[in-house]
Amino acid sequence: MEKPVIIFGAKGIGKAALEIFKSNRVVVYGFLEDDAEMHGQEIDDVTVLGKTDDHGFIKLIGQKTEAFVATDDNALRKRQVKMLMDTRKVMPTNAIHDAAIISNSAIIGHGNFINARVTLGANAVIGQHCLIHSGAIIEHEVKMGDFVQVGAGTTINSGVEIANEAFIGSGSLIVAGVKIGKKARIGAGSVVIADVADGKTVFGNPATVIDSK
């Protein structure tokens, strides 16, 4: 990546994304943030320039800069990705920490956040706009959809399939071959030994359904 990056969101993941880009010696042009109280502030010498719909800065994306969407709110993330696609005809770039271990055969889409000490095994497939937090282990042949969130220290064993918008809490263990449905939620520290249906929330060891949706 040669172009500097504008980060959408100056809180939480935005700050972590700044560290990731710096770890790869990528210049961050600035942050865009809807919290007006942060405008003009500096985060590690990078300025919060304005709101996320500020066309004066958005028009730079795709020509002079790249963009990264830094929020764990999937609805907001989708809206901002759609805006970039509609107005600038560009997909957000990936933020992959230089301390992540990525197999040469892994396939990674666009707009993903992959933090330090994440491991992606051989032939793992990661969709688009996923958040994979520090120390997560994703073994070989895992298939992950779009807008998936994986908590810190999670282990996802070989051959697991994870559908779009699933949430996997920190420290969870997903055993080999399990299928996690669309918008399913896995509670932190859970051990998942069986498939989880679309929209279900499971928790515990072994993980069991805790909702009636």
Side-chain angles (χ1 to χ4, degrees):
M1 183 190 303
E2 297 180 356
K3 295 178 182 177
V5 178
I6 292 175
I7 298 176
F8 283 66
K11 302 175 182 178
I13 291 172
K15 295 178 181 179
L18 172 62
E19 179 180 305
I20 287 174
F21 288 120
K22 287 192 169 186
S23 81
N24 289 290
R25 297 178 176 82
V26 174
V27 174
V28 175
Y29 185 89
F31 292 95
L32 296 180
E33 166 61 50
D34 288 332
D35 182 352
E37 292 185 0
M38 297 189 70
H39 294 172
Q41 293 184 22
E42 290 190 348
I43 300 172
D44 198 11
D45 299 324
V46 176
T47 303
V48 181
L49 301 168
K51 296 181 68 175
T52 58
D53 61 357
D54 189 322
H55 184 69
F57 295 109
I58 291 173
K59 69 182 181 181
L60 301 175
I61 296 167
Q63 297 180 349
K64 296 182 179 180
T65 72
E66 303 279 1
F68 180 75
V69 178
T71 175
D72 58 6
D73 180 331
N74 266 350
L76 176 58
R77 196 172 177 83
K78 284 182 176 181
R79 289 197 300 272
Q80 291 179 338
V81 169
K82 184 177 186 300
M83 179 274 294
L84 289 168
M85 290 291 294
D86 290 347
T87 64
R88 303 305 303 157
K89 310 302 181 188
V90 296
M91 287 284 276
T93 191
N94 286 317
I96 303 176
H97 202 288
D98 73 341
I101 301 170
I102 311 293
S103 168
N104 289 335
S105 60
I107 298 172
I108 303 173
H110 295 277
N112 295 294
F113 172 90
I114 300 177
N115 214 343
R117 297 181 289 102
V118 169
T119 299
L120 295 184
N123 298 309
V125 178
I126 307 300
Q128 311 208 90
H129 317 300
C130 297
L131 305 177
I132 305 176
H133 292 279
S134 300
I137 297 172
I138 298 172
E139 290 285 4
H140 60 279
E141 306 287 349
V142 169
K143 295 181 180 178
M144 184 180 297
D146 301 335
F147 294 96
V148 173
Q149 299 187 42
V150 178
T154 291
T155 298
I156 300 174
N157 283 332
S158 61
V160 169
E161 296 182 15
I162 304 171
N164 295 348
E165 300 183 62
F167 175 91
I168 301 174
S170 298
S172 298
L173 170 63
I174 316 296
V175 303
V178 162
K179 293 180 173 61
I180 307 296
K182 183 177 180 179
K183 294 187 178 181
R185 298 181 65 84
I186 313 300
S190 296
V191 177
V192 181
I193 63 173
D195 294 352
V196 180
D198 293 352
K200 294 296 183 181
T201 298
V202 301
F203 179 75
N205 180 9
T208 55
V209 175
I210 61 171
D211 68 1
S212 57
K213 296 179 183 179

Short mmCIF file of all heavy atoms in Angstrom, two decimals, residues 21-60:
data_model
loop_
_atom_site.label_atom_id
_atom_site.label_comp_id
_atom_site.label_asym_id
_atom_site.label_seq_id
_atom_site.Cartn_x
_atom_site.Cartn_y
_atom_site.Cartn_z
N PHE A 21 -1.66 0.39 11.03
CA PHE A 21 -1.08 1.03 9.86
C PHE A 21 0.35 1.51 10.13
O PHE A 21 1.23 1.37 9.28
CB PHE A 21 -1.96 2.17 9.37
CG PHE A 21 -3.23 1.70 8.72
CD1 PHE A 21 -4.48 2.07 9.23
CD2 PHE A 21 -3.19 0.89 7.60
CE1 PHE A 21 -5.65 1.62 8.63
CE2 PHE A 21 -4.36 0.43 7.00
CZ PHE A 21 -5.58 0.80 7.51
N LYS A 22 0.56 2.04 11.33
CA LYS A 22 1.93 2.46 11.67
C LYS A 22 2.88 1.27 11.73
O LYS A 22 4.06 1.39 11.37
CB LYS A 22 1.93 3.23 12.99
CG LYS A 22 1.34 4.63 12.87
CD LYS A 22 1.62 5.47 14.10
CE LYS A 22 1.26 6.92 13.87
NZ LYS A 22 1.65 7.80 15.00
N SER A 23 2.37 0.11 12.17
CA SER A 23 3.23 -1.08 12.22
C SER A 23 3.70 -1.48 10.83
O SER A 23 4.73 -2.14 10.68
CB SER A 23 2.49 -2.25 12.89
OG SER A 23 1.60 -2.91 11.98
N ASN A 24 2.92 -1.09 9.83
CA ASN A 24 3.27 -1.39 8.44
C ASN A 24 3.86 -0.18 7.71
O ASN A 24 3.99 -0.20 6.48
CB ASN A 24 2.03 -1.88 7.69
CG ASN A 24 1.60 -3.26 8.14
OD1 ASN A 24 2.27 -4.25 7.88
ND2 ASN A 24 0.47 -3.33 8.85
N ARG A 25 4.17 0.85 8.47
CA ARG A 25 4.76 2.08 7.92
C ARG A 25 3.86 2.73 6.86
O ARG A 25 4.34 3.26 5.86
CB ARG A 25 6.16 1.80 7.35
CG ARG A 25 7.15 1.34 8.42
CD ARG A 25 8.52 1.03 7.84
NE ARG A 25 9.47 0.68 8.89
CZ ARG A 25 9.57 -0.53 9.44
NH1 ARG A 25 8.78 -1.51 9.03
NH2 ARG A 25 10.46 -0.76 10.40
N VAL A 26 2.56 2.63 7.09
CA VAL A 26 1.58 3.30 6.24
C VAL A 26 1.18 4.61 6.91
O VAL A 26 0.84 4.64 8.09
CB VAL A 26 0.34 2.41 6.02
CG1 VAL A 26 -0.73 3.17 5.25
CG2 VAL A 26 0.73 1.14 5.28
N VAL A 27 1.23 5.69 6.16
CA VAL A 27 0.86 7.00 6.69
C VAL A 27 -0.65 7.09 6.84
O VAL A 27 -1.40 6.74 5.93
CB VAL A 27 1.37 8.12 5.75
CG1 VAL A 27 0.85 9.49 6.21
CG2 VAL A 27 2.89 8.12 5.68
N VAL A 28 -1.10 7.56 7.99
CA VAL A 28 -2.52 7.83 8.21
C VAL A 28 -2.74 9.33 8.02
O VAL A 28 -2.18 10.15 8.75
CB VAL A 28 -2.98 7.37 9.60
CG1 VAL A 28 -4.43 7.79 9.85
CG2 VAL A 28 -2.85 5.85 9.73
N TYR A 29 -3.55 9.67 7.02
CA TYR A 29 -3.80 11.08 6.66
C TYR A 29 -4.57 11.78 7.77
O TYR A 29 -4.35 12.95 8.07
CB TYR A 29 -4.58 11.11 5.36
CG TYR A 29 -4.83 12.48 4.79
CD1 TYR A 29 -3.92 13.07 3.91
CD2 TYR A 29 -6.00 13.18 5.11
CE1 TYR A 29 -4.17 14.33 3.38
CE2 TYR A 29 -6.25 14.43 4.58
CZ TYR A 29 -5.33 15.00 3.71
OH TYR A 29 -5.58 16.24 3.20
N GLY A 30 -5.51 11.05 8.38
CA GLY A 30 -6.31 11.62 9.46
C GLY A 30 -7.50 10.74 9.77
O GLY A 30 -7.73 9.71 9.12
N PHE A 31 -8.25 11.13 10.79
CA PHE A 31 -9.49 10.45 11.18
C PHE A 31 -10.69 11.28 10.74
O PHE A 31 -10.64 12.52 10.74
CB PHE A 31 -9.57 10.30 12.70
CG PHE A 31 -8.57 9.38 13.32
CD1 PHE A 31 -7.38 9.87 13.84
CD2 PHE A 31 -8.83 8.01 13.41
CE1 PHE A 31 -6.46 9.01 14.44
CE2 PHE A 31 -7.92 7.15 14.01
CZ PHE A 31 -6.74 7.66 14.52
N LEU A 32 -11.79 10.60 10.42
CA LEU A 32 -13.10 11.24 10.32
C LEU A 32 -13.98 10.64 11.41
O LEU A 32 -14.03 9.42 11.56
CB LEU A 32 -13.71 11.02 8.94
CG LEU A 32 -12.96 11.64 7.76
CD1 LEU A 32 -13.68 11.35 6.46
CD2 LEU A 32 -12.77 13.14 7.94
N GLU A 33 -14.65 11.49 12.16
CA GLU A 33 -15.37 11.05 13.37
C GLU A 33 -16.60 11.94 13.56
O GLU A 33 -16.51 13.17 13.48
CB GLU A 33 -14.43 11.16 14.58
CG GLU A 33 -15.08 11.05 15.94
CD GLU A 33 -15.78 9.72 16.16
OE1 GLU A 33 -15.16 8.67 15.93
OE2 GLU A 33 -16.96 9.76 16.57
N ASP A 34 -17.76 11.31 13.82
CA ASP A 34 -19.00 12.07 13.96
C ASP A 34 -19.15 12.77 15.30
O ASP A 34 -20.01 13.65 15.44
CB ASP A 34 -20.20 11.16 13.71
CG ASP A 34 -20.33 10.79 12.23
OD1 ASP A 34 -19.90 11.59 11.37
OD2 ASP A 34 -20.85 9.70 11.94
N ASP A 35 -18.34 12.42 16.29
CA ASP A 35 -18.35 13.10 17.58
C ASP A 35 -17.61 14.43 17.43
O ASP A 35 -16.38 14.48 17.39
CB ASP A 35 -17.68 12.23 18.63
CG ASP A 35 -17.71 12.85 20.02
OD1 ASP A 35 -18.12 14.03 20.15
OD2 ASP A 35 -17.30 12.17 20.99
N ALA A 36 -18.37 15.52 17.32
CA ALA A 36 -17.78 16.83 17.04
C ALA A 36 -16.80 17.28 18.11
O ALA A 36 -15.89 18.08 17.82
CB ALA A 36 -18.90 17.87 16.89
N GLU A 37 -16.96 16.79 19.33
CA GLU A 37 -16.05 17.18 20.40
C GLU A 37 -14.62 16.72 20.15
O GLU A 37 -13.68 17.26 20.72
CB GLU A 37 -16.54 16.65 21.74
CG GLU A 37 -17.84 17.30 22.22
CD GLU A 37 -18.24 16.84 23.61
OE1 GLU A 37 -17.49 16.01 24.19
OE2 GLU A 37 -19.27 17.31 24.11
N MET A 38 -14.46 15.72 19.28
CA MET A 38 -13.12 15.21 18.99
C MET A 38 -12.45 15.93 17.82
O MET A 38 -11.25 15.76 17.60
CB MET A 38 -13.17 13.71 18.69
CG MET A 38 -13.63 12.85 19.84
SD MET A 38 -13.41 11.08 19.51
CE MET A 38 -11.61 10.94 19.55
N HIS A 39 -13.22 16.74 17.09
CA HIS A 39 -12.66 17.40 15.92
C HIS A 39 -11.52 18.34 16.32
O HIS A 39 -11.63 19.10 17.28
CB HIS A 39 -13.74 18.18 15.18
CG HIS A 39 -14.79 17.30 14.58
ND1 HIS A 39 -15.93 17.80 14.01
CD2 HIS A 39 -14.86 15.94 14.47
CE1 HIS A 39 -16.67 16.78 13.57
NE2 HIS A 39 -16.04 15.66 13.85
N GLY A 40 -10.43 18.25 15.61
CA GLY A 40 -9.25 19.05 15.90
C GLY A 40 -8.30 18.41 16.88
O GLY A 40 -7.15 18.86 17.01
N GLN A 41 -8.74 17.37 17.57
CA GLN A 41 -7.85 16.67 18.48
C GLN A 41 -6.84 15.83 17.70
O GLN A 41 -7.07 15.48 16.54
CB GLN A 41 -8.63 15.76 19.42
CG GLN A 41 -9.53 16.49 20.41
CD GLN A 41 -10.20 15.54 21.38
OE1 GLN A 41 -9.74 14.43 21.61
NE2 GLN A 41 -11.31 15.98 21.96
N GLU A 42 -5.72 15.53 18.36
CA GLU A 42 -4.74 14.65 17.76
C GLU A 42 -4.64 13.35 18.54
O GLU A 42 -4.69 13.35 19.78
CB GLU A 42 -3.35 15.31 17.71
CG GLU A 42 -3.27 16.45 16.72
CD GLU A 42 -1.84 16.92 16.50
OE1 GLU A 42 -0.94 16.52 17.29
OE2 GLU A 42 -1.62 17.70 15.56
N ILE A 43 -4.55 12.25 17.82
CA ILE A 43 -4.35 10.93 18.41
C ILE A 43 -3.02 10.43 17.89
O ILE A 43 -2.89 10.13 16.69
CB ILE A 43 -5.49 9.97 18.03
CG1 ILE A 43 -6.83 10.52 18.54
CG2 ILE A 43 -5.23 8.58 18.59
CD1 ILE A 43 -8.04 9.75 18.06
N ASP A 44 -2.03 10.39 18.76
CA ASP A 44 -0.68 9.98 18.35
C ASP A 44 -0.23 10.75 17.12
O ASP A 44 0.25 10.17 16.13
CB ASP A 44 -0.65 8.47 18.09
CG ASP A 44 0.77 7.92 18.10
OD1 ASP A 44 1.69 8.65 18.51
OD2 ASP A 44 0.96 6.76 17.68
N ASP A 45 -0.40 12.07 17.18
CA ASP A 45 0.03 13.00 16.13
C ASP A 45 -0.81 12.93 14.86
O ASP A 45 -0.44 13.53 13.84
CB ASP A 45 1.51 12.82 15.78
CG ASP A 45 2.43 13.06 16.96
OD1 ASP A 45 2.11 13.97 17.75
OD2 ASP A 45 3.44 12.36 17.09
N VAL A 46 -1.95 12.24 14.88
CA VAL A 46 -2.84 12.19 13.72
C VAL A 46 -4.12 12.94 14.08
O VAL A 46 -4.75 12.66 15.10
CB VAL A 46 -3.15 10.74 13.30
CG1 VAL A 46 -4.15 10.71 12.15
CG2 VAL A 46 -1.86 10.02 12.91
N THR A 47 -4.54 13.86 13.23
CA THR A 47 -5.63 14.77 13.55
C THR A 47 -6.99 14.19 13.20
O THR A 47 -7.15 13.52 12.17
CB THR A 47 -5.44 16.10 12.79
OG1 THR A 47 -4.17 16.66 13.12
CG2 THR A 47 -6.54 17.10 13.14
N VAL A 48 -7.98 14.46 14.06
CA VAL A 48 -9.37 14.18 13.75
C VAL A 48 -9.87 15.35 12.91
O VAL A 48 -10.03 16.46 13.39
CB VAL A 48 -10.22 14.02 15.03
CG1 VAL A 48 -11.67 13.70 14.67
CG2 VAL A 48 -9.64 12.92 15.93
N LEU A 49 -10.11 15.09 11.63
CA LEU A 49 -10.29 16.16 10.65
C LEU A 49 -11.71 16.70 10.60
O LEU A 49 -11.92 17.90 10.34
CB LEU A 49 -9.90 15.65 9.26
CG LEU A 49 -8.45 15.14 9.13
CD1 LEU A 49 -8.29 14.40 7.82
CD2 LEU A 49 -7.48 16.31 9.22
N GLY A 50 -12.71 15.84 10.76
CA GLY A 50 -14.10 16.27 10.62
C GLY A 50 -15.03 15.08 10.69
O GLY A 50 -14.65 14.00 11.15
N LYS A 51 -16.26 15.26 10.20
CA LYS A 51 -17.28 14.21 10.27
C LYS A 51 -17.08 13.20 9.14
O LYS A 51 -16.42 13.46 8.14
CB LYS A 51 -18.68 14.82 10.19
CG LYS A 51 -19.02 15.74 11.36
CD LYS A 51 -20.42 16.29 11.25
CE LYS A 51 -21.46 15.21 11.42
NZ LYS A 51 -22.86 15.73 11.44
N THR A 52 -17.73 12.04 9.31
CA THR A 52 -17.55 10.96 8.34
C THR A 52 -18.24 11.23 7.00
O THR A 52 -18.03 10.49 6.04
CB THR A 52 -18.07 9.62 8.90
OG1 THR A 52 -19.45 9.75 9.25
CG2 THR A 52 -17.28 9.21 10.14
N ASP A 53 -19.06 12.29 6.94
CA ASP A 53 -19.69 12.64 5.66
C ASP A 53 -19.11 13.93 5.08
O ASP A 53 -19.72 14.56 4.21
CB ASP A 53 -21.20 12.77 5.82
CG ASP A 53 -21.61 13.85 6.82
OD1 ASP A 53 -20.72 14.47 7.43
OD2 ASP A 53 -22.83 14.06 6.97
N ASP A 54 -17.92 14.31 5.54
CA ASP A 54 -17.27 15.54 5.06
C ASP A 54 -16.72 15.31 3.66
O ASP A 54 -15.69 14.67 3.48
CB ASP A 54 -16.15 15.95 6.02
CG ASP A 54 -15.58 17.33 5.71
OD1 ASP A 54 -15.46 17.68 4.51
OD2 ASP A 54 -15.25 18.06 6.66
N HIS A 55 -17.42 15.83 2.66
CA HIS A 55 -17.05 15.54 1.27
C HIS A 55 -15.67 16.11 0.92
O HIS A 55 -14.99 15.58 0.03
CB HIS A 55 -18.10 16.12 0.31
CG HIS A 55 -17.82 15.77 -1.12
ND1 HIS A 55 -17.93 14.48 -1.62
CD2 HIS A 55 -17.39 16.55 -2.16
CE1 HIS A 55 -17.60 14.49 -2.90
NE2 HIS A 55 -17.28 15.72 -3.25
N GLY A 56 -15.26 17.16 1.61
CA GLY A 56 -13.94 17.73 1.34
C GLY A 56 -12.82 16.73 1.51
O GLY A 56 -11.80 16.78 0.80
N PHE A 57 -13.01 15.80 2.46
CA PHE A 57 -12.00 14.75 2.67
C PHE A 57 -12.37 13.47 1.93
O PHE A 57 -11.50 12.77 1.41
CB PHE A 57 -11.83 14.48 4.17
CG PHE A 57 -11.28 15.65 4.92
CD1 PHE A 57 -12.08 16.37 5.80
CD2 PHE A 57 -9.97 16.05 4.75
CE1 PHE A 57 -11.58 17.47 6.49
CE2 PHE A 57 -9.45 17.15 5.42
CZ PHE A 57 -10.26 17.86 6.30
N ILE A 58 -13.68 13.17 1.86
CA ILE A 58 -14.10 11.94 1.19
C ILE A 58 -13.68 11.94 -0.28
O ILE A 58 -13.34 10.90 -0.85
CB ILE A 58 -15.62 11.76 1.34
CG1 ILE A 58 -15.97 11.44 2.79
CG2 ILE A 58 -16.14 10.64 0.42
CD1 ILE A 58 -17.46 11.41 3.08
N LYS A 59 -13.67 13.12 -0.90
CA LYS A 59 -13.33 13.18 -2.33
C LYS A 59 -11.88 12.78 -2.60
O LYS A 59 -11.52 12.48 -3.75
CB LYS A 59 -13.59 14.58 -2.88
CG LYS A 59 -12.66 15.65 -2.36
CD LYS A 59 -13.04 17.01 -2.93
CE LYS A 59 -12.09 18.11 -2.45
NZ LYS A 59 -12.48 19.45 -2.97
N LEU A 60 -11.05 12.75 -1.58
CA LEU A 60 -9.66 12.31 -1.75
C LEU A 60 -9.54 10.80 -1.89
O LEU A 60 -8.55 10.30 -2.45
CB LEU A 60 -8.81 12.76 -0.55
CG LEU A 60 -8.74 14.27 -0.26
CD1 LEU A 60 -7.97 14.51 1.02
CD2 LEU A 60 -8.11 15.02 -1.43
#
